[in-house]
Amino acid sequence: MNPGGDVLENINPTLYSKCEDRPVTAEDQNDYITDEFDSREIFDLIRNIYDPEHPLTLEELHVVDLSLIQVNNETNQIKVNFTPTIPHCSMATLIGLSIRVRLIRALPARFKVVVEITPGSHSTEFAINKQLADKERVAAALENSTLIGVINQCISRPSPAA
């Protein structure tokens, strides 16, 4: 799935190993205990988003990383930095939108979600960060049926092992 055309920008991306699944404890299964969100929980929500160009997850491509996620439950803020596989990736905005949409759909409305490119990892990071931070531009993008279709494919494409 390459929404931009038939030519892949990064034809042979580097693959990284996946994290171990988070162990589920008896305390985790207790519905009466309220626990705070942490960076691992946010990572688990976005790690299986697929890259728009490759049948690989953002975790496998090391686009998202646990160390680049910050959660502040007191101020209800979540910040996710992501690192495109190449410095001129034309899919960076689409990847950022996919991360943002996944989190907005999964988290309580009280959270302010900030999604940005990791500093120094993209040639137009300032412009893309500005687009991702602009609520009106994001809302307009999500009204585009073709674009939301691509985002939904990135978010919900089943893994080949499923």
Side-chain angles (χ1 to χ4, degrees), residues 69-93:
I69 299 170
Q70 300 169 4
V71 177
N72 187 328
N73 285 284
E74 291 177 16
T75 61
N76 297 316
Q77 292 186 335
I78 293 174
K79 182 175 181 185
V80 175
N81 280 38
F82 67 99
T83 309
T85 58
I86 52 177
H88 55 276
C89 177
S90 66
M91 298 291 147
T93 304

Side-chain angles (χ1 to χ4, degrees), residues 72-137:
N72 187 328
N73 285 284
E74 291 177 16
T75 61
N76 297 316
Q77 292 186 335
I78 293 174
K79 182 175 181 185
V80 175
N81 280 38
F82 67 99
T83 309
T85 58
I86 52 177
H88 55 276
C89 177
S90 66
M91 298 291 147
T93 304
L94 182 59
I95 291 168
L97 279 172
S98 296
I99 293 169
R100 188 175 173 119
V101 168
R102 174 68 178 115
L103 293 176
I104 289 169
R105 288 179 181 173
L107 295 171
R110 67 183 169 95
F111 281 105
K112 176 183 175 12
V113 175
V114 176
V115 177
E116 294 181 342
I117 292 180
T118 304
S121 67
H122 196 277
S123 59
T124 61
E125 81 182 64
F126 177 77
I128 292 172
N129 287 343
K130 187 175 178 180
Q131 289 176 353
L132 292 172
D134 187 329
K135 291 180 183 179
E136 291 178 9
R137 289 177 96 171

